[in-house]
Each structure stands twice: as C-alpha cells, then as structure tokens.
Amino acid sequence: MVKLTQGRILQAPERFFINGDWVEPASDRRLDVISPVSEARLFSYPEGCVTDMDRAVAAARSAFDVGPWPQMPAAHRAAALRRVASLISERLEEIAWAWTTQVGAPISLTRKLVPQNATLFSYYADLIERTPFTDHRRRDDGGEVRVLREPVGVCAAISPWNAPMVLLSYKIAAGLAAGCTMVAKPSPETPLEAYIMAECIEAAGLPRGVFNLVPGGREAGDHLVRHRDIDKVAFTGSTAVGKHIMRVCSERLARVSLELGGKSAAVMLPDADFAKALPSLMVYCMPIAGQVCFSLTRLLVPQTRKQEFLDIFVPAVRQIKLGDPADPATQMGPLAMARQRDRVEAYIAAGRAGGAQLVCGGARPKGRETGYFIEPTVFANVTPEMVIAQEEIFGPVVSVIGYSDEDDALRKANATDYGLNGAVYSRDTDRAFAFARRMRTGGLTINGLIVDPKHPFGGYRQSGMGREGGPEGLDSYLEVKTVHIAG
Ligand code: NAD
C-alpha cells in the first residue's frame, strides 16, 4: 500500500500493464520512491527490465499491425478516449495527492492543474472527429490523388518526474487519438500517476496492447528507445538525454519529438507596470519550487528601473509561504529529491562565485532540518554570460538582468541555447507583440502567462523539437501518404 499524504491509500504498484493484462515483472529488481518532505521511503515497486520492455513493445506492435485500433473510425476511437477522460475526472483528487506526495508540489497547485489530464483526452477525442484524415484532390490530368494521414505506428512515451501525469497525458492522448499504440515509461521517481492512467485505460475498454506501461530507469528507457519496433519516441526530460535519444533514433530514422529544458526570460519593457506584472511573475518564476521547464527564471529589467523592480519583487519573494505541500496554504514545497537540492545549491554557489549579488534566499530555511527545502532565491546584477544565466537550474532561483535599451533586452533575452518560453510586459500590447515576435522561443505570453494544453507547446533550439498540445500535437503522431489513382 502507498500512504499518500493525509492518509489516502493507493495500491502500491506490483505489476506491469502489458497487452491488456497486469503481468508479473521479469526480474526482482525494485525502485524506491522517497518523500521529499520526510526523506523516508514512501514505497518500493518493481523496476522494468529489458525483458519487460520487449514484451510491452511486442504487444504494442501486434496491436498496431493486426489489432483494430489504427483502422477504427475516428468516432470510435474518440468515444473510447472520452471514456478515459471521464474515468480520469473521477480520480482527480487522487492524482493531485499522488503528485504532491511524490514530488512535493503544493496541493493548492496540483488540485488546480490535474483537470488538464482529462481535458487532453477529451480535446483529442473532439479533434479527431473534425480532422479530415483523407484529402481528395483532382490531378491536372483529371485523375485523383488521395492524401492520407495515418498513424506513425508504435510509440514510446518517456516522461520526467516534475509533472508526472500531464506530461504523459499529452503524449498518450494525442498518440492514441492518431491511432498509434503506446508503451509508456514514466520516471522512476513518480510511477503512481501512470498506473492510474493505465487503470482508466483498462476500465475504458481499449483493445489489448494499445497502451502498455512498464516503469523503469535509464536502462529500460534506453532499451525502449533503441528498439527497432518503436517507430517514434516522444520524450520529455533534460536536454542532455534528449540529445542522446535523438542520436540513437537517427540510426534508424525513428521519429522523435523532444520537450526539453528551458531558461526562459520575462522581459519588462521600459514602460512595464511592475505592480501589475507581479502576480503572474510570482506564479510563473518558480512554480513547484522552480522545477518546471517553462519557469521564467531570467527577469530582464531596464537598468534605470532596476531598483524600483527589486523593491517590488524581492519583498514578494520573501513572503512566499514555504512549507508542507499538503497544507493548502503552502505556496512552495521542498525540492523533489536530494540530488535536486545538491544541484540547486551548487548553482547558488556558482552564482555567488561568479559575482552575482544575492539579494534574498540562497540557503536551507531555518527550522526545517528534514525535507529538501531551499529558500526562494533572487540574484541581481547577473550578466548573460554567467553560469546561472545560461544553465537550467531547475530550482527556486531567478536572476535579475539589467538592460540599456530594447535591442539590448532582445540580445540578452535570446542569449542562451534554450528557447522554450518567455513573457513580455508592457502597457502597450502592440509594442509587446512586436518584441515577442523577435524572441526566439516556442511560446510567449504578453502581460501574464497562460499554459493551455489545447494550444501547441514546445521549444526552439535546444529546448526541443516538435510540439505537444493543439492540432500540432496530433500531427506529430501522423505520417502522410499520397495515393495516385490513374484516371
Ligand atoms: P531526465 O532527462 O533525467 O529523465 C527524463 C526521463 O528519461 C525519465 O523517465 C528517465 O528515466 C528517462 N531516461 C533517462 N535516461 C534515458 C536514456 N538514456 N534513454 C531513455 N530514457 C532515459 O529528466 P528529469 O530529471 O526526469 O526531468 C527534468 C528535466 O525535464 C528538466 O531539464 C526539464 O526542463 C525537463 N522538462 C521539460 C519539459 C518540456 O515540456 N519542455 C517539461 C518538464 C520537464
């Protein structure tokens, strides 16, 4: 049994979901899930090995090659996905607690975000019902051409630990909607949500082998990516692993979509209203203790208004309520794991050593000896070449960077290898939009921040390739076939 925070109980995972059955693991290897609050083991569960992966891929291959799913009329697949959405909706409270318990994300936030999982399944159900999968065109000579959009095949879905279910839902909902069959490998630190998803898919009555779940670590993931029966890998995680996956997939030209790291900038244009910008900045500069890929971690501020900005921003950061993520009043919980805290502390040390000015935070909070807590931290006088301005910290650390004019702001905003997200603040929306167009990122928000799974999300440059969400998210699970019919 897994005791979720506040006494909720979930069945501890003991089997894998392969070919529509709950099957015994092939090995006796196990993984531990550690509480970020108590640092104690929450539960252990079986680790998938290469034999388990081979079974899952064989099931997905057979479900694709000879099963009904890819050939089914879109309306039938849509009905099945709507059943999944409705079953997920019944378990939102459990999903929110699983996230809070394993990752330390505040319950106030996880409760708000978990409906996105059901939304993704119902959104893709609706989309495939109105998407023409066959386009009939006349050729110049009077013959016909049919341009078909067909499922890409058997897909691997590999997800990270920070937002365990929604990053899987993006892949599974779009892939299944397209008619693909899937093998899911969630992060070893956060298996629970993937199990809830498997149970909902089973209860919704999808054909055998269409969805398979084998949790595991690097070895299982690597085997999955190398498997010649995998036609596409959909990956969310670090840029380093993303590059490795792309190299491996290039050997057989398997399709790849990559959602990777970020170092996103919020640009306060010279006329920005800082007080108005503050509420959205407070939500998006360090959500889940900064462990979100699209966090706004570089705050670009006119040099002449820097002190004015710090006078508004720093007191608000100092007031963030740090504490037990199970407490509905908590705004920031601990980091998710010990290695995350080590990483963040190393970056804070690098910021100090590099000459940035620490204006608040930077240490473990007093009175919290247990749990991977770090104070929300702000550095000022950061310059673009500093390590803390270049690399993804994945913690509650933001850098305030001064600029002289808009061209300088643009140069600095674009001065990293990443390009995931961004925000522009100005009293003049047209001016902000013109600036946003020059930023090299896959997503941007003007005077706020909205993340909506019904719209495409993804990165420029080293933040990734391809898009998840929206119709673009469906396209990445489709191939195009052109059939000429002689007239
Ligand atoms: P990670 O890259 O270490 O692991 C991600 C997943 O890949 C895990 O399931 C892991 O087991 C698996 N994996 C690791 N090595 C592998 C290999 N060689 N072959 C196949 N699979 C392998 O990332 P993480 O620490 O779990 O997550 C944090 C990172 O994810 C951050 O960089 C963050 O920015 C990124 N992220 C990106 C997005 C996005 O949408 N762009 C969203 C959330 C997180």
Side-chain angles (χ1 to χ4, degrees):
M1 296 302 227
V2 184
K3 202 158 173 254
L4 298 183
T5 317
Q6 291 217 333
R8 289 165 183 278
I9 305 284
L10 266 187
Q11 192 71 32
E14 282 301 336
R15 292 165 187 228
F16 304 144
F17 189 63
I18 298 176
N19 205 29
D21 289 320
W22 291 97
V23 304
E24 293 289 339
S27 86
D28 55 8
R29 283 163 34 182
R30 297 184 76 82
L31 292 161
D32 288 335
V33 176
I34 306 295
S35 163
V37 178
S38 70
E39 303 183 25
R41 189 172 76 176
L42 285 164
F43 62 96
S44 80
Y45 71 103
E47 175 178 6
C49 66
V50 297
T51 310
D52 302 302
M53 273 304 171
D54 285 343
R55 282 188 196 157
V57 175
R61 185 79 258 166
S62 166
F64 187 81
D65 291 344
V66 298
W69 188 255
Q71 322 298 336
M72 236 179 229
H76 293 194
R77 279 204 303 276
L81 294 182
R82 282 196 195 96
R83 288 198 297 278
V84 177
S86 133
L87 288 155
I88 289 175
S89 296
E90 289 169 18
R91 298 185 68 177
L92 293 182
E93 189 62 9
E94 224 177 308
I95 297 167
W97 280 109
W99 191 356
T100 292
T101 306
Q102 297 167 115
V103 178
I107 190 68
S108 54
L109 184 69
T110 59
R111 276 194 174 128
K112 221 178 277 170
L113 298 180
V114 290
Q116 287 183 346
N117 295 293
T119 301
L120 277 160
F121 279 87
S122 51
Y123 169 74
Y124 280 112
D126 293 348
L127 184 67
I128 55 174
E129 281 186 327
R130 48 172 209 269
T131 298
F133 287 94
T134 306
D135 180 10
H136 299 261
R137 302 173 197 205
R138 305 310 301 177
R139 295 195 324 230
D140 288 348
D141 62 3
E144 187 186 344
V145 181
R146 290 185 197 158
V147 179
L148 314 176
R149 296 208 291 156
E150 300 187 327
V152 81
V154 179
C155 302
I158 301 179
S159 50
W161 48 264
N162 59 331
M165 188 143 173
V166 76
L167 297 172
L168 203 55
S169 295
Y170 268 111
K171 299 167 182 54
I172 303 300
L176 292 181
C180 295
T181 60
M182 315 288 297
V183 178
K185 193 214 74 67
S187 184
E189 294 87 356
T190 50
L192 293 179
E193 294 88 336
Y195 274 87
I196 295 174
M197 185 186 287
E199 287 165 11
C200 292
I201 288 174
E202 181 188 29
L206 270 67
R208 285 174 176 274
V210 163
F211 173 83
N212 305 274
L213 166 63
V214 178
R218 187 171 297 261
E219 183 188 314
D222 195 56
H223 186 69
L224 182 61
V225 166
R226 291 179 190 281
H227 206 296
R228 58 188 299 275
D229 278 334
I230 292 290
D231 298 305
K232 172 186 163 118
V233 177
F235 172 79
T236 301
S238 60
T239 294
V241 175
K243 286 179 183 175
H244 168 77
I245 287 176
M246 190 157 168
R247 271 194 298 273
V248 170
C249 289
S250 72
E251 284 296 317
R252 62 182 198 286
L253 290 181
R255 302 325 190 221
V256 195
S257 51
L258 302 171
E259 296 286 347
L260 308 177
K263 191 74 196 174
S264 301
V267 182
M268 304 287 142
L269 287 183
D271 68 337
D273 181 335
F274 296 158
K276 261 194 169 165
L278 190 65
S280 71
L281 270 189
M282 294 314 294
V283 174
Y284 290 108
C285 68
M286 31 179 108
I288 315 187
Q291 301 165 115
V292 172
C293 55
F294 58 73
S295 305
L296 300 170
T297 53
R298 294 181 301 136
L299 309 183
L300 270 69
V301 180
Q303 195 62 45
T304 50
R305 297 183 65 199
K306 197 187 77 185
Q307 197 52 49
E308 180 195 345
F309 179 78
L310 289 173
D311 289 346
I312 290 180
F313 182 65
V314 174
V317 171
R318 285 208 178 100
Q319 271 171 22
I320 291 174
K321 193 170 177 315
L322 201 71
D324 182 350
D327 178 346
T330 293
Q331 293 170 312
M332 187 180 290
L335 291 163
M337 56 204 73
R339 71 165 196 273
Q340 268 297 107
R341 186 172 60 183
D342 292 347
R343 172 192 171 97
V344 172
E345 287 182 330
Y347 275 113
I348 292 171
R352 286 181 144 137
Q357 179 197 356
L358 182 70
V359 286
C360 79
R364 299 182 184 191
K366 290 200 177 59
R368 286 211 167 264
E369 276 65 47
T370 310
Y372 307 123
F373 290 91
I374 284 280
E375 292 170 337
T377 300
V378 179
F379 280 106
N381 294 341
V382 177
T383 53
E385 67 287 351
M386 287 182 189
V387 170
I388 56 166
Q390 286 294 323
E391 296 183 12
E392 184 183 50
I393 298 175
F394 226 51
V397 182
V398 299
S399 295
V400 178
I401 303 173
Y403 69 82
S404 55
D405 57 24
E406 278 194 38
D407 284 341
D408 188 37
L410 185 72
R411 249 190 322 274
K412 288 175 172 162
N414 287 337
T416 77
D417 290 335
Y418 293 108
L420 189 59
N421 187 27
V424 186
Y425 293 87
S426 167
R427 290 171 207 266
D428 176 347
T429 309
D430 291 338
R431 181 182 186 180
F433 184 69
F435 190 90
R437 291 201 62 169
R438 298 164 74 201
M439 280 176 72
R440 304 282 298 155
T441 72
L444 272 148
T445 316
I446 293 171
N447 294 333
L449 208 154
I450 301 164
V451 180
D452 178 350
K454 297 197 283 303
H455 297 119
F457 176 83
Y460 277 26
R461 300 186 287 173
Q462 295 195 26
S463 286
M465 278 178 84
R467 295 293 178 270
E468 290 191 326
E472 292 80 0
L474 180 69
D475 289 346
S476 80
Y477 290 89
L478 295 169
E479 292 277 18
V480 175
K481 179 185 279 178
T482 309
V483 182
H484 292 263
I485 301 169

